[in-house]
Amino acid sequence: MYLWLLFCVSALQYAVAAQNVTGIDGWLRYARIPNADSLRGQVPGHIVALNDSETSPVFTAGQELMSGMAGILGANADVSYSMSEKGSYRNATGTLIVGSMDQFEGASIDMGEEPELIEDGYHIAFSGSDVHIIGSNQRGALYGAFKLLAWLAQGRLPQDSYTSNPDAPIRWGNQWDNLQDGGNHGSVERGYAGDSIFFKDGGVREDLSRVPLYARLLASVGINALVVNNVNANESMVEPRIVEGLGRIADLMRPYGVRLGMSLNFATPELLGVLDTFDPFDESVIQFWQDRTDLIYSHIPDMAGYLVKANSEGQPGPLTYNRTLADGANLFARRVQPYGGVVMFRGFVYDSTSLNQTEDWRADRANAAVEFFDGLDGSFEDNVVVQIKYGPIDFQVREPASPLFAHLQNTATAIELQVTQEYLGQQCHVFYYADLWKSVLDWDMRYEEKPSLVRDIIAGRRFNQSLGGYAAVINVGLNQTWLGSHLAMSNLYLYGRMSWDPTVSGEDVIQDWTRMTFNHNPDVIQTIKEISMESWPTYENYSGNLGIQTLADITGSHYGPDPASQDGNPWGQWTRADTFSIGMDRTVFNGTGFAGQYPAIVRNKYDNISTTPDDLLLWFHHVNYTYPLKESDETVIQHFYNAHYAGAANAQTYAPRWEALKGKMNQQQYEEQLYRLIYQGGHSIVWRDTINQFYYNLSSIPDEQNRGGCGGDFPYRIEAESMELDGYNVTIAEPWNTASSGRLIAASSNDTATATATVPDSLLTSNSSTYDVAVNYFDVAIGIAHWTLYLNDRMIGEWKGDMEYRLGHAPAVAINGDSNTRITFHDVKVRSGDVLKIVGEPEREDVAAVDYISIFPPGVVD
Ligand code: GCU
């Protein structure tokens, strides 16, 4: 009997351990920790949450503490909601009381020395077996509860009292969810993880079950408001039927202290057909917005405020009526002011139609924000916050901090970061933001020659603002992992941690996150930390170097490599690359003058090429490809080649390093992430070769090491176009450099096509008896092609072109750098004279295209 029981218990444990981890709980899995037994006795057996209203964050805190302690420690704490009930739990050891300061006072609980708290801050005090979590407000109390649970989930319970206050009051998320977007209602702009959790079919979803789960994640890291719709806003957002739905969303977020915000379309009165103007000075327009604002607050009394993108990228704004941007912002600010709302007014304002690349050397989109806001400082209402993208262009792999941060001393500002990875691998490449964000937050503007860190400016410290802070474009979707990939979620966690405390260490954060999201295995923690910390330099290496921009396709997907799209595009995102030289001359004396938008010390540093750090060289200067770098022995062009080879080589190590974790983490997390890391390894080679081929072709300067794509041959490749073809045609990629040597094969009809080649002796020079065989092919989104690879009629493997269902990046609609990808077969016995055959079965647009086959000894990066 005893043995049977033992068997049942261990079977149960096994079942729990083997349960799938879909990612839906993010870092709030409350999984049992290794030292649960020793910690369990240290936590109180009874919880008192000082609010019994289910909509209050304090009530939520009680629930979270109970379930968290049960999950993490196996502790069995009860919750009650008033001190009088506490009596019935006298037998429990210790009490954990959670509530706001007011509630502690109301219940006459001795708080000891009164903690110094600002809005949303909290204090955790330990006294004997009792714990007090005291919030400055109810939201703060919930944050304190999450802090305590985070400690426990890390396997520790400090006994010293702990006080924490946020660095800035604004810590918002922005979702770019589309209420209506052409035919695709409920999509998410620059979202790579499925449809909106909020909208469907042009309205608010009936099923909003994902909303509280999301709000819970946000609250656990201190994010206190969420704008739920795209900055390119639809006018219907203020229609009564939508406002009613927004009220339902707000109700679901309120228990987590996450307030709802919304983006507005400036031309709403006209677009809805209510008025024939949207002039912010027009009385009927003012009245329109007053009525709609009143309506919104009648449904959502704690609405956080509005987010407004005006006069940018085709969006309407006040300039149409010769009113200033401040007039436009104030129109809304005055409406929400009595309700305590704020207006986040975007600094991302530019008009690329006024820029001419060929005729005007001084044309520069990077100048736009400062120019548009010129003269407006101080004319915004107090509840306006200018929300400024971290860099002057647009979420590029490396940018200097936007100079606009130094131009608004009498206006509150917030930095706009992105958690989603537009331009940066769209969650299919690992990109952990810690160091990139720090490069901007720690940027010192030296305003009036005094320390003026961006993080001090936005927190209001530098220029004495009471508002300001952080916004991040997050763009979660219905995907079970929220962002499309398990590892990408570390950025949402990081955003919360860094907006609460921008001095936090990126390494600490990723380790904390890993323990909670995966487990405490030291190998798991170490590997995830290392890959994450390497991820920015690695991606930068194989994308755009030296501050040139990301070099992703700028006119379409913003995903795969397309260096040619960097010039001549209508968006004003240029590199001015020609056959001799490259880079934007942003100097004052000879260029666009952008460097002059910074205060003098910073301006002088970047205006002068000899004091400009290499990593921003091409952001500020136009130089010959042969220009020598300061921090290495390379020329610009040689650095491009070297960096691309180094970056792609490092990306090859990710998957094997992950494979070493097999069995050390949950199988679902392991497999889903491995799939992406293998994909990234292949796609990094596509990036490398595309960019090297492009700049070699443009500059005609060969690589010193004579490597493939930049002057030399690819030593391990059989180009598909050189194979014997039956049913395949040779064709050219668009742009050409996204295919190896520019050419590829694609099925010429809907029928099966075949390509064969004899393996030449020259490819098999190593002593190895087995080889890796990689096939680079194009997986185009519409249709699912099928490929089979044979060696001497023995099947090596087969695969489908179904990545559009497995990866969430922007649809790869053509044969280009978005669709070029790779599959690798390991340990294949290959001998000279063997016959390789690829059989492709096309479907619709997916024409079973093949770029090349590469045969290389294990461990080599081809
Ligand atoms: C980028 C992005 C757009 C977005 C815009 C913005 O340009 O590609 O999708 O609308 O930024 O931030 O407003």
Side-chain angles (χ1 to χ4, degrees), residues 176 189-190 230-232 309 313 346 348 350 365 389 394-395 416 422-423 558:
W176 284 359
E189 181 157 330
R190 312 301 176 191
N230 193 351
V231 280
N232 301 315
K309 171 178 177 179
E313 299 188 328
R346 291 185 91 219
F348 184 67
Y350 72 96
R365 167 173 151 187
K389 278 195 185 183
D394 191 9
F395 296 150
E416 182 176 306
E422 181 186 5
Y423 296 105
H558 296 188

Side-chain angles (χ1 to χ4, degrees), residues 287-583:
Q287 192 57 48
F288 170 90
W289 285 115
Q290 189 61 58
D291 293 345
R292 298 295 165 139
T293 302
D294 293 342
L295 174 74
I296 291 164
Y297 276 96
S298 74
H299 285 267
I300 313 170
D302 55 355
M303 213 267 296
Y306 294 139
L307 171 61
V308 183
K309 171 178 177 179
N311 290 112
S312 185
E313 299 188 328
Q315 292 298 317
L319 303 183
T320 308
Y321 296 94
N322 279 331
R323 313 300 185 197
T324 69
L325 294 178
D327 296 332
N330 292 342
L331 167 69
F332 302 111
R334 291 181 187 130
R335 310 285 84 73
V336 295
Q337 211 157 29
Y339 295 105
V342 305
V343 168
M344 305 294 285
F345 194 80
R346 291 185 91 219
F348 184 67
V349 183
Y350 72 96
D351 172 17
S352 60
T353 60
S354 65
L355 304 174
N356 186 320
Q357 183 177 5
T358 42
E359 284 169 22
D360 185 2
W361 182 251
R362 293 181 177 273
D364 189 0
R365 167 173 151 187
N367 286 343
V370 167
E371 287 170 1
F372 271 102
F373 282 81
D374 185 38
L376 298 182
D377 187 26
S379 46
F380 293 93
E381 292 287 345
D382 287 348
N383 59 333
V384 174
V385 178
V386 176
Q387 177 173 318
I388 304 170
K389 278 195 185 183
Y390 63 79
I393 292 285
D394 191 9
F395 296 150
Q396 297 300 292
V397 69
R398 188 181 290 272
E399 295 189 56
S402 169
L404 188 53
F405 289 114
H407 283 257
L408 302 171
Q409 299 92 39
N410 301 297
T411 308
T413 54
I415 193 168
E416 182 176 306
L417 305 169
Q418 63 158 354
V419 164
T420 191
Q421 293 172 222
E422 181 186 5
Y423 296 105
L424 304 177
Q426 303 189 349
Q427 282 95 292
C428 302
H429 294 229
V430 181
F431 197 111
Y432 177 60
Y433 280 111
D435 285 347
L436 187 156
W437 290 350
K438 274 183 182 288
S439 75
V440 180
L441 292 170
D442 292 347
W443 179 283
D444 190 349
M445 291 289 174
R446 305 302 300 175
Y447 182 75
E448 291 182 335
E449 308 200 353
K450 294 198 191 87
S452 311
L453 303 187
V454 168
R455 60 178 150 90
D456 291 332
I457 294 173
I458 58 177
R461 272 188 296 276
R462 178 64 181 88
F463 298 128
N464 284 327
Q465 305 292 338
S466 54
L467 269 182
Y470 296 77
V473 182
I474 303 175
N475 293 353
V476 303
L478 283 172
N479 183 287
Q480 292 281 298
T481 63
W482 297 96
L483 284 168
S485 120
H486 292 281
L487 285 187
M489 282 294 276
S490 62
N491 286 318
L492 179 52
Y493 179 78
L494 172 76
Y495 171 60
R497 293 281 304 268
M498 252 193 200
S499 58
W500 187 274
D501 174 8
T503 64
V504 81
S505 131
E507 290 204 5
D508 288 351
V509 170
I510 192 73
Q511 295 182 89
D512 290 353
W513 175 81
T514 303
R515 276 184 215 104
M516 294 191 282
T517 307
F518 290 86
N519 56 43
H520 287 217
N521 184 305
D523 297 338
V524 172
I525 296 168
Q526 184 69 8
T527 302
I528 292 181
K529 182 186 82 178
E530 285 174 5
I531 291 179
S532 300
M533 297 310 292
E534 289 164 27
S535 63
W536 179 30
T538 299
Y539 188 86
E540 182 179 38
N541 272 345
Y542 64 73
S543 60
N545 322 115
L546 307 174
I548 194 59
Q549 302 197 140
T550 311
L551 306 181
D553 168 15
I554 276 182
T555 50
S557 65
H558 296 188
Y559 179 60
D562 186 359
S565 71
Q566 313 302 304
D567 283 301
N569 64 65
W571 296 104
Q573 268 176 261
W574 306 323
T575 64
R576 292 195 181 274
D578 59 28
T579 53
F580 298 105
S581 50
I582 184 168

Side-chain angles (χ1 to χ4, degrees), residues 463-774:
F463 298 128
N464 284 327
Q465 305 292 338
S466 54
L467 269 182
Y470 296 77
V473 182
I474 303 175
N475 293 353
V476 303
L478 283 172
N479 183 287
Q480 292 281 298
T481 63
W482 297 96
L483 284 168
S485 120
H486 292 281
L487 285 187
M489 282 294 276
S490 62
N491 286 318
L492 179 52
Y493 179 78
L494 172 76
Y495 171 60
R497 293 281 304 268
M498 252 193 200
S499 58
W500 187 274
D501 174 8
T503 64
V504 81
S505 131
E507 290 204 5
D508 288 351
V509 170
I510 192 73
Q511 295 182 89
D512 290 353
W513 175 81
T514 303
R515 276 184 215 104
M516 294 191 282
T517 307
F518 290 86
N519 56 43
H520 287 217
N521 184 305
D523 297 338
V524 172
I525 296 168
Q526 184 69 8
T527 302
I528 292 181
K529 182 186 82 178
E530 285 174 5
I531 291 179
S532 300
M533 297 310 292
E534 289 164 27
S535 63
W536 179 30
T538 299
Y539 188 86
E540 182 179 38
N541 272 345
Y542 64 73
S543 60
N545 322 115
L546 307 174
I548 194 59
Q549 302 197 140
T550 311
L551 306 181
D553 168 15
I554 276 182
T555 50
S557 65
H558 296 188
Y559 179 60
D562 186 359
S565 71
Q566 313 302 304
D567 283 301
N569 64 65
W571 296 104
Q573 268 176 261
W574 306 323
T575 64
R576 292 195 181 274
D578 59 28
T579 53
F580 298 105
S581 50
I582 184 168
M584 287 293 290
D585 182 347
R586 293 190 159 112
T587 60
V588 178
F589 64 95
N590 187 48
T592 71
F594 169 80
Q597 292 188 344
Y598 290 99
I601 293 178
V602 179
R603 165 207 161 131
N604 293 342
K605 173 173 173 187
Y606 292 99
D607 215 25
N608 183 342
I609 196 164
S610 65
T611 49
T612 302
D614 286 344
D615 59 17
L616 284 173
L617 176 69
L618 303 180
W619 179 279
F620 283 99
H621 302 280
H622 184 84
V623 298
N624 286 348
Y625 290 110
T626 51
Y627 186 82
L629 299 186
K630 276 189 293 296
E631 293 148 37
S632 75
D633 295 337
E634 303 157 308
T635 61
V636 164
I637 191 73
Q638 191 58 43
H639 180 80
F640 275 27
Y641 299 150
N642 291 347
H644 281 82
Y645 267 93
N650 200 46
Q652 305 313 302
T653 68
Y654 289 178
R657 285 151 83 187
W658 194 260
E659 279 167 325
L661 304 177
K662 190 174 169 66
K664 296 181 177 173
M665 64 166 69
N666 175 269
Q667 189 70 3
Q668 182 169 1
Q669 287 174 306
Y670 170 80
E671 277 167 12
E672 289 177 355
Q673 191 59 51
L674 179 62
Y675 178 79
R676 280 172 189 257
L677 295 174
I678 292 172
Y679 168 80
Q680 179 179 3
H683 202 224
S684 70
I685 300 243
V686 175
W687 268 93
R688 179 194 77 188
D689 295 348
T690 298
I691 287 166
N692 285 349
Q693 291 189 136
F694 177 82
Y695 288 106
Y696 170 62
N697 183 263
L698 195 62
S699 69
S700 307
I701 301 173
D703 170 37
E704 284 167 0
Q705 296 180 48
N706 209 28
R707 286 169 292 195
C710 32
D713 295 329
F714 292 104
Y716 304 102
R717 285 187 192 176
I718 299 175
E719 293 290 347
E721 58 272 21
S722 72
M723 296 171 82
E724 198 170 307
L725 307 179
D726 182 7
Y728 267 122
N729 278 346
V730 176
T731 172
I732 291 174
E734 179 58 54
W736 69 270
N737 35 68
T738 55
S740 175
S741 307
R743 292 184 304 157
L744 62 125
I745 58 170
S748 54
S749 69
N750 293 334
D751 297 332
T752 300
T754 313
T756 37
T758 305
V759 178
D761 216 14
S762 56
L763 240 53
L764 307 175
T765 48
S766 92
N767 293 330
S768 177
S769 59
T770 61
Y771 290 83
D772 286 355
V773 178

